[in-house]
Amino acid sequence: MVAGAYGIDIVLLVVAADSGIMPQTTEHLKIIEMLGIRHGVVVLNKIDLVDEEMLELAEFEISEFLEGTVLENAPVIGVSSITGKGLDQLIEEIDRLVPLVNEKENTGRFRMYIDLIFNVKGIGYVVTGSVLEGELETGKDIYLIPGKGKKIKVRNIERHGEPVNKVYCGDRAALNLAGLKLEDYERGMVLSDKPIGETSMIDATITLFDYNFKIGLWTKVVFFTGTFECAARVHLLDKDSLEPGENAIVQIHLEKPAILINKDKFIIRNSSNDLTLGGGTIVDVDPLHHKKRNPKLIESLQDLVDATVNSNKLFNLIKIEIKKENAPVFAQNIAKKLLKSDAEVIDEILENGDQSVVLLNRSDKNILVSADAYSSYYEAVLENIQQFHDKNTILEDGLETKEFYGKFGFGGNEAGKLFLDALMETLVEEGKLKKVGTTWAMAGHEVKVDPQTQEQLTWLESVYEKVGMDKPYEEDIAAMALTRKISKDKFKVMLKYLYRQQKLAYFEGEYIHHSIVDKCRQLLLNDIKDKENGINEKEFRLLIDGTKKFVQLMIGVLTQEGVIYKKTFFILITDKGKALIGE
């Protein structure tokens, strides 16, 4: 019944005049309501088998039965399939209802459950189903999903038995498919002209029928939607138990992957599959795994339900997806999740104008972040840089952009990195930050050196200056610094300060005093200025009377300066080096 009724707009509820309301009639009506069908006609069949009094009793029973249901005001038409009585009136009622059916949203995506597959000799495989979304033409490629994503070509189409070139949402369609193999197919699979990601976990709302049955925090059920059926577990999120007639927000864990779309309807039965429990609406086909049911989660889920079930506004769904990301995200990723185009998502944000979503463009990529998250990042950047200044008053530097990657969890988030670039530039434009070298500093930050620190800096500089033509061993100097109450962190900051003040040179983690560099540079450049082939490392070591490790460090510093270069084992002077010594 679920497979047959799924996706239809008008229902004919048939009741036999000689039998009256049957148990399956009650179940079918509940499923009709749960599937969201809002229009219908009650067909009181077999009127030729009863007299007038029995007919009146049957009509009265139907009236009572439908009270308070979606078909409460549906017309009841008496018919006889034997005599044909009432059939013309039934057709008139159907014609009257058709204009009342709302136009279906054009999703730009074809989707159809297969309810029958058969092989026609000389033609190949044919599948039938009701078109749930979009349209499809002959000659087009479609996907059979979930599966390997193999494309299948549409050879021919029939609609209600008539050959056509195109079918639309709401049509019954028979498709002759080239490339389909029977072993590729399993009941419950979907045909679509666009790839749709499979899911095994969904967030949804459910309502229990008013049978004497309730469900607990975790309940095993059988899940039905379209022609798809599988065992599942229902996890209540906003309640500890669900009584008959009540509704709840749930997370459903499916035992096999399905192709589902937000707002799809579903039915659940008990685990033994002999009692229909209720049904509901899917609100998120790609949710986070909700292990903890805290108030913040419940509030977020209630917003999601409102945005999905009670609103047709795309912007609400965009906000929910951005909130789930909890970080800057590319607009194309949100569009993909909502099965929309990038342009649709961007246009919706620009047209909405409620300022709850911030749209940035960086490197020709559109980045989205919630306004709340933007404010948090904005304040966190300023707070972290100010804290750095407070701890490192002697440094003009601030923090590099990459130092925020770990703090904000942007290590593997390209959108987050581009967002940070844009945020830093905004803070500079607003006069909050300034660029210092490769770092960002507070606009009003000034270097402050107290007398004690100045004394320590003078001592540290003198230590490096006294090293001479030997490689400085930072660990030994750091140990000496500790005896002068200079912590390891402060020691590193002081080295940076001396580097910024051009007292020390730096190369690959090593510091050396500039006076020593100046002396070595002068000796080396004067020696090799007229030597076409330069000198080797050993000759350089003899020239300055330094250790082997010191020579390698010095070559690195001078190469970094651009005054020398190495060719195999030899050190040669550059044009910059020649200009420096006036050659």
Side-chain angles (χ1 to χ4, degrees), residues 434-481:
K434 62 182 178 182
K435 195 74 182 284
V436 179
T438 59
T439 70
W440 304 95
M442 299 298 287
H445 173 65
E446 294 180 357
V447 172
K448 295 176 184 177
V449 183
D450 60 76
Q452 181 186 7
T453 303
Q454 183 59 62
E455 182 184 344
Q456 292 170 336
L457 286 166
T458 302
W459 168 81
L460 183 59
E461 183 189 350
S462 69
V463 170
Y464 271 89
E465 192 172 13
K466 291 174 184 175
V467 168
M469 299 300 177
D470 197 359
K471 180 183 176 183
Y473 286 92
E474 193 173 303
E475 290 182 5
D476 294 340
I477 300 173
M480 292 167 60

Short mmCIF file of all heavy atoms in Angstrom, two decimals, residues 434-481:
data_model
loop_
_atom_site.label_atom_id
_atom_site.label_comp_id
_atom_site.label_asym_id
_atom_site.label_seq_id
_atom_site.Cartn_x
_atom_site.Cartn_y
_atom_site.Cartn_z
N LYS A 434 47.00 45.56 12.37
CA LYS A 434 47.99 46.05 11.40
C LYS A 434 48.89 44.88 11.03
O LYS A 434 49.01 43.90 11.79
CB LYS A 434 48.81 47.19 11.98
CG LYS A 434 49.65 46.82 13.21
CD LYS A 434 50.40 48.02 13.75
CE LYS A 434 51.19 47.65 15.02
NZ LYS A 434 51.88 48.81 15.61
N LYS A 435 49.49 44.95 9.87
CA LYS A 435 50.38 43.88 9.42
C LYS A 435 51.81 44.21 9.84
O LYS A 435 52.30 45.30 9.59
CB LYS A 435 50.30 43.75 7.89
CG LYS A 435 50.89 42.46 7.33
CD LYS A 435 49.99 41.28 7.61
CE LYS A 435 50.57 39.96 7.11
NZ LYS A 435 50.45 39.81 5.67
N VAL A 436 52.46 43.28 10.50
CA VAL A 436 53.86 43.42 10.90
C VAL A 436 54.62 42.22 10.35
O VAL A 436 54.48 41.11 10.86
CB VAL A 436 54.02 43.49 12.44
CG1 VAL A 436 55.50 43.61 12.80
CG2 VAL A 436 53.23 44.64 13.01
N GLY A 437 55.38 42.45 9.28
CA GLY A 437 56.04 41.33 8.62
C GLY A 437 55.00 40.37 8.09
O GLY A 437 54.11 40.75 7.33
N THR A 438 55.08 39.13 8.52
CA THR A 438 54.08 38.12 8.11
C THR A 438 53.02 37.90 9.19
O THR A 438 52.23 36.97 9.10
CB THR A 438 54.77 36.78 7.80
OG1 THR A 438 55.45 36.33 8.98
CG2 THR A 438 55.75 36.92 6.66
N THR A 439 53.03 38.77 10.22
CA THR A 439 52.12 38.58 11.35
C THR A 439 51.07 39.68 11.40
O THR A 439 51.19 40.71 10.74
CB THR A 439 52.89 38.56 12.68
OG1 THR A 439 53.38 39.88 12.97
CG2 THR A 439 54.06 37.59 12.62
N TRP A 440 50.05 39.44 12.24
CA TRP A 440 48.99 40.41 12.48
C TRP A 440 49.10 40.88 13.93
O TRP A 440 49.13 40.08 14.85
CB TRP A 440 47.62 39.79 12.25
CG TRP A 440 47.46 39.18 10.89
CD1 TRP A 440 47.65 37.88 10.54
CD2 TRP A 440 47.10 39.88 9.69
NE1 TRP A 440 47.43 37.71 9.21
CE2 TRP A 440 47.10 38.92 8.65
CE3 TRP A 440 46.79 41.20 9.39
CZ2 TRP A 440 46.79 39.24 7.33
CZ3 TRP A 440 46.48 41.53 8.08
CH2 TRP A 440 46.48 40.57 7.07
N ALA A 441 49.16 42.21 14.11
CA ALA A 441 49.27 42.79 15.45
C ALA A 441 48.13 43.77 15.67
O ALA A 441 47.53 44.27 14.72
CB ALA A 441 50.61 43.50 15.60
N MET A 442 47.82 44.03 16.95
CA MET A 442 46.80 45.03 17.25
C MET A 442 47.27 46.38 16.74
O MET A 442 48.46 46.74 16.83
CB MET A 442 46.56 45.09 18.76
CG MET A 442 46.06 43.79 19.36
SD MET A 442 44.46 43.23 18.72
CE MET A 442 43.37 44.42 19.52
N ALA A 443 46.34 47.15 16.20
CA ALA A 443 46.68 48.43 15.56
C ALA A 443 47.41 49.36 16.53
O ALA A 443 48.33 50.08 16.13
CB ALA A 443 45.43 49.09 15.02
N GLY A 444 47.04 49.34 17.79
CA GLY A 444 47.66 50.25 18.76
C GLY A 444 48.81 49.67 19.54
O GLY A 444 49.31 50.30 20.49
N HIS A 445 49.27 48.49 19.14
CA HIS A 445 50.34 47.83 19.91
C HIS A 445 51.67 48.53 19.74
O HIS A 445 52.08 48.88 18.63
CB HIS A 445 50.48 46.37 19.46
CG HIS A 445 51.65 45.68 20.07
ND1 HIS A 445 51.76 45.43 21.42
CD2 HIS A 445 52.80 45.18 19.50
CE1 HIS A 445 52.90 44.82 21.66
NE2 HIS A 445 53.55 44.65 20.51
N GLU A 446 52.38 48.74 20.86
CA GLU A 446 53.73 49.30 20.85
C GLU A 446 54.65 48.42 21.69
O GLU A 446 54.23 47.87 22.71
CB GLU A 446 53.73 50.72 21.42
CG GLU A 446 52.94 51.72 20.56
CD GLU A 446 52.96 53.11 21.17
OE1 GLU A 446 53.53 53.27 22.27
OE2 GLU A 446 52.40 54.02 20.54
N VAL A 447 55.89 48.32 21.24
CA VAL A 447 56.87 47.52 21.98
C VAL A 447 57.19 48.19 23.31
O VAL A 447 57.41 49.40 23.37
CB VAL A 447 58.15 47.34 21.16
CG1 VAL A 447 59.24 46.69 21.99
CG2 VAL A 447 57.86 46.52 19.91
N LYS A 448 57.20 47.39 24.38
CA LYS A 448 57.54 47.91 25.72
C LYS A 448 58.60 47.01 26.34
O LYS A 448 58.40 45.80 26.47
CB LYS A 448 56.29 47.93 26.62
CG LYS A 448 55.21 48.90 26.14
CD LYS A 448 53.98 48.79 27.02
CE LYS A 448 52.86 49.69 26.49
NZ LYS A 448 51.62 49.53 27.30
N VAL A 449 59.76 47.64 26.70
CA VAL A 449 60.85 46.87 27.31
C VAL A 449 61.12 47.45 28.70
O VAL A 449 61.61 48.57 28.83
CB VAL A 449 62.13 46.93 26.45
CG1 VAL A 449 63.21 46.06 27.07
CG2 VAL A 449 61.84 46.50 25.02
N ASP A 450 60.80 46.69 29.73
CA ASP A 450 61.05 47.17 31.10
C ASP A 450 62.54 47.03 31.42
O ASP A 450 63.27 46.28 30.75
CB ASP A 450 60.19 46.39 32.10
CG ASP A 450 60.50 44.90 32.08
OD1 ASP A 450 61.54 44.51 32.63
OD2 ASP A 450 59.69 44.14 31.48
N PRO A 451 63.04 47.73 32.44
CA PRO A 451 64.47 47.71 32.76
C PRO A 451 65.04 46.31 32.99
O PRO A 451 66.15 46.01 32.54
CB PRO A 451 64.55 48.56 34.03
CG PRO A 451 63.37 49.48 33.93
CD PRO A 451 62.29 48.69 33.27
N GLN A 452 64.30 45.45 33.70
CA GLN A 452 64.79 44.10 33.96
C GLN A 452 64.97 43.32 32.66
O GLN A 452 66.00 42.65 32.45
CB GLN A 452 63.84 43.35 34.89
CG GLN A 452 64.33 41.94 35.23
CD GLN A 452 63.31 41.14 36.04
OE1 GLN A 452 62.20 41.59 36.25
NE2 GLN A 452 63.70 39.96 36.49
N THR A 453 63.98 43.43 31.78
CA THR A 453 64.06 42.71 30.51
C THR A 453 65.19 43.27 29.66
O THR A 453 65.90 42.51 28.97
CB THR A 453 62.72 42.82 29.74
OG1 THR A 453 61.67 42.30 30.56
CG2 THR A 453 62.78 42.04 28.44
N GLN A 454 65.39 44.59 29.70
CA GLN A 454 66.47 45.19 28.93
C GLN A 454 67.83 44.66 29.39
O GLN A 454 68.72 44.37 28.58
CB GLN A 454 66.43 46.72 29.06
CG GLN A 454 67.48 47.44 28.22
CD GLN A 454 67.35 47.13 26.74
OE1 GLN A 454 66.33 47.42 26.13
NE2 GLN A 454 68.37 46.51 26.15
N GLU A 455 67.97 44.51 30.68
CA GLU A 455 69.21 43.97 31.24
C GLU A 455 69.44 42.54 30.75
O GLU A 455 70.55 42.13 30.39
CB GLU A 455 69.16 44.00 32.77
CG GLU A 455 70.43 43.50 33.44
CD GLU A 455 70.31 43.47 34.96
OE1 GLU A 455 69.38 44.12 35.50
OE2 GLU A 455 71.12 42.77 35.60
N GLN A 456 68.33 41.75 30.74
CA GLN A 456 68.42 40.37 30.27
C GLN A 456 68.75 40.30 28.78
O GLN A 456 69.52 39.44 28.34
CB GLN A 456 67.10 39.65 30.56
CG GLN A 456 66.83 39.44 32.04
CD GLN A 456 65.41 38.95 32.32
OE1 GLN A 456 64.50 39.17 31.52
NE2 GLN A 456 65.23 38.28 33.46
N LEU A 457 68.18 41.22 27.99
CA LEU A 457 68.46 41.26 26.55
C LEU A 457 69.93 41.59 26.30
O LEU A 457 70.57 40.99 25.42
CB LEU A 457 67.57 42.30 25.88
CG LEU A 457 66.08 41.92 25.71
CD1 LEU A 457 65.25 43.14 25.34
CD2 LEU A 457 65.94 40.83 24.63
N THR A 458 70.45 42.55 27.06
CA THR A 458 71.86 42.94 26.90
C THR A 458 72.77 41.75 27.20
O THR A 458 73.75 41.49 26.49
CB THR A 458 72.19 44.12 27.83
OG1 THR A 458 71.32 45.21 27.54
CG2 THR A 458 73.63 44.55 27.67
N TRP A 459 72.44 41.02 28.28
CA TRP A 459 73.21 39.84 28.63
C TRP A 459 73.16 38.80 27.52
O TRP A 459 74.19 38.25 27.11
CB TRP A 459 72.68 39.24 29.94
CG TRP A 459 73.24 37.88 30.20
CD1 TRP A 459 74.46 37.58 30.73
CD2 TRP A 459 72.61 36.62 29.88
NE1 TRP A 459 74.63 36.21 30.77
CE2 TRP A 459 73.53 35.60 30.25
CE3 TRP A 459 71.38 36.28 29.32
CZ2 TRP A 459 73.23 34.27 30.08
CZ3 TRP A 459 71.09 34.95 29.14
CH2 TRP A 459 72.00 33.94 29.52
N LEU A 460 71.92 38.51 27.00
CA LEU A 460 71.76 37.47 25.99
C LEU A 460 72.51 37.83 24.71
O LEU A 460 73.17 36.97 24.09
CB LEU A 460 70.27 37.26 25.69
CG LEU A 460 69.92 36.15 24.70
CD1 LEU A 460 70.45 34.80 25.19
CD2 LEU A 460 68.41 36.07 24.49
N GLU A 461 72.44 39.10 24.32
CA GLU A 461 73.16 39.51 23.11
C GLU A 461 74.67 39.32 23.29
O GLU A 461 75.36 38.84 22.36
CB GLU A 461 72.87 40.98 22.80
CG GLU A 461 73.53 41.44 21.50
CD GLU A 461 73.42 42.94 21.28
OE1 GLU A 461 72.67 43.62 22.02
OE2 GLU A 461 74.11 43.42 20.36
N SER A 462 75.16 39.64 24.47
CA SER A 462 76.60 39.51 24.71
C SER A 462 77.04 38.05 24.67
O SER A 462 78.14 37.73 24.21
CB SER A 462 76.97 40.14 26.06
OG SER A 462 76.44 39.37 27.14
N VAL A 463 76.17 37.16 25.13
CA VAL A 463 76.49 35.73 25.09
C VAL A 463 76.68 35.28 23.65
O VAL A 463 77.64 34.56 23.32
CB VAL A 463 75.39 34.89 25.79
CG1 VAL A 463 75.62 33.40 25.53
CG2 VAL A 463 75.36 35.18 27.28
N TYR A 464 75.73 35.64 22.78
CA TYR A 464 75.84 35.25 21.37
C TYR A 464 77.05 35.91 20.70
O TYR A 464 77.68 35.32 19.81
CB TYR A 464 74.54 35.61 20.62
CG TYR A 464 73.51 34.51 20.67
CD1 TYR A 464 72.59 34.43 21.71
CD2 TYR A 464 73.48 33.53 19.68
CE1 TYR A 464 71.67 33.41 21.77
CE2 TYR A 464 72.56 32.50 19.73
CZ TYR A 464 71.65 32.44 20.77
OH TYR A 464 70.75 31.41 20.81
N GLU A 465 77.38 37.13 21.13
CA GLU A 465 78.51 37.84 20.52
C GLU A 465 79.84 37.17 20.89
O GLU A 465 80.78 37.15 20.10
CB GLU A 465 78.50 39.29 20.98
CG GLU A 465 79.44 40.19 20.19
CD GLU A 465 79.26 41.65 20.55
OE1 GLU A 465 78.59 41.95 21.57
OE2 GLU A 465 79.77 42.50 19.80
N LYS A 466 79.89 36.59 22.10
CA LYS A 466 81.13 35.99 22.58
C LYS A 466 81.37 34.59 22.01
O LYS A 466 82.43 34.00 22.23
CB LYS A 466 81.11 35.91 24.10
CG LYS A 466 81.20 37.27 24.78
CD LYS A 466 81.03 37.13 26.29
CE LYS A 466 81.02 38.52 26.96
NZ LYS A 466 80.73 38.40 28.42
N VAL A 467 80.37 34.04 21.30
CA VAL A 467 80.51 32.69 20.76
C VAL A 467 81.66 32.62 19.78
O VAL A 467 82.37 31.61 19.68
CB VAL A 467 79.19 32.24 20.08
CG1 VAL A 467 79.40 30.98 19.25
CG2 VAL A 467 78.12 32.01 21.13
N GLY A 468 81.89 33.70 19.04
CA GLY A 468 82.99 33.73 18.08
C GLY A 468 82.72 32.84 16.89
O GLY A 468 81.59 32.68 16.45
N MET A 469 83.80 32.22 16.37
CA MET A 469 83.67 31.40 15.16
C MET A 469 83.29 29.97 15.48
O MET A 469 83.84 29.01 14.93
CB MET A 469 85.00 31.44 14.38
CG MET A 469 85.42 32.83 13.93
SD MET A 469 84.18 33.58 12.85
CE MET A 469 84.93 35.20 12.58
N ASP A 470 82.37 29.82 16.39
CA ASP A 470 81.86 28.51 16.75
C ASP A 470 80.34 28.55 16.60
O ASP A 470 79.73 29.62 16.68
CB ASP A 470 82.26 28.17 18.19
CG ASP A 470 82.12 26.68 18.49
OD1 ASP A 470 81.71 25.94 17.58
OD2 ASP A 470 82.42 26.29 19.62
N LYS A 471 79.75 27.41 16.42
CA LYS A 471 78.28 27.37 16.29
C LYS A 471 77.65 27.56 17.66
O LYS A 471 77.96 26.83 18.59
CB LYS A 471 77.83 26.04 15.68
CG LYS A 471 76.32 25.95 15.53
CD LYS A 471 75.89 24.60 14.99
CE LYS A 471 74.38 24.50 14.95
NZ LYS A 471 73.92 23.18 14.50
N PRO A 472 76.71 28.53 17.80
CA PRO A 472 76.04 28.72 19.10
C PRO A 472 75.15 27.51 19.40
O PRO A 472 74.42 27.05 18.53
CB PRO A 472 75.18 29.97 18.88
CG PRO A 472 75.70 30.59 17.63
CD PRO A 472 76.25 29.50 16.79
N TYR A 473 75.19 27.00 20.59
CA TYR A 473 74.33 25.88 20.99
C TYR A 473 73.20 26.45 21.85
O TYR A 473 73.39 26.79 23.02
CB TYR A 473 75.14 24.82 21.75
CG TYR A 473 76.02 24.02 20.81
CD1 TYR A 473 77.34 24.41 20.58
CD2 TYR A 473 75.51 22.91 20.14
CE1 TYR A 473 78.14 23.69 19.69
CE2 TYR A 473 76.31 22.18 19.27
CZ TYR A 473 77.62 22.58 19.03
OH TYR A 473 78.40 21.87 18.16
N GLU A 474 72.05 26.54 21.21
CA GLU A 474 70.91 27.22 21.85
C GLU A 474 70.51 26.55 23.16
O GLU A 474 70.13 27.24 24.11
CB GLU A 474 69.73 27.24 20.87
CG GLU A 474 68.60 28.17 21.29
CD GLU A 474 67.53 28.30 20.23
OE1 GLU A 474 67.87 28.68 19.10
OE2 GLU A 474 66.37 28.01 20.54
N GLU A 475 70.58 25.23 23.22
CA GLU A 475 70.18 24.52 24.45
C GLU A 475 71.06 24.93 25.63
O GLU A 475 70.57 25.13 26.74
CB GLU A 475 70.25 23.01 24.25
CG GLU A 475 69.18 22.46 23.31
CD GLU A 475 69.26 20.95 23.18
OE1 GLU A 475 70.09 20.34 23.90
OE2 GLU A 475 68.50 20.40 22.37
N ASP A 476 72.36 25.07 25.37
CA ASP A 476 73.29 25.48 26.44
C ASP A 476 73.00 26.90 26.90
O ASP A 476 73.00 27.20 28.11
CB ASP A 476 74.73 25.38 25.96
CG ASP A 476 75.15 23.93 25.68
OD1 ASP A 476 74.48 23.02 26.22
OD2 ASP A 476 76.12 23.73 24.93
N ILE A 477 72.74 27.78 25.92
CA ILE A 477 72.46 29.18 26.26
C ILE A 477 71.12 29.28 27.00
O ILE A 477 70.99 30.06 27.95
CB ILE A 477 72.45 30.06 24.99
CG1 ILE A 477 73.83 29.99 24.31
CG2 ILE A 477 72.11 31.51 25.33
CD1 ILE A 477 73.88 30.68 22.97
N ALA A 478 70.13 28.46 26.60
CA ALA A 478 68.82 28.45 27.28
C ALA A 478 68.99 28.01 28.73
O ALA A 478 68.32 28.54 29.64
CB ALA A 478 67.85 27.54 26.56
N ALA A 479 69.89 27.05 28.97
CA ALA A 479 70.14 26.59 30.34
C ALA A 479 70.79 27.70 31.16
O ALA A 479 70.46 27.89 32.35
CB ALA A 479 71.03 25.35 30.30
N MET A 480 71.69 28.44 30.54
CA MET A 480 72.32 29.58 31.22
C MET A 480 71.26 30.64 31.55
O MET A 480 71.28 31.25 32.62
CB MET A 480 73.40 30.20 30.33
CG MET A 480 74.62 29.30 30.12
SD MET A 480 75.69 29.88 28.76
CE MET A 480 76.11 31.52 29.38
N ALA A 481 70.32 30.82 30.63
CA ALA A 481 69.27 31.83 30.82
C ALA A 481 68.39 31.49 32.01
O ALA A 481 67.94 32.38 32.74
CB ALA A 481 68.43 31.94 29.55
#
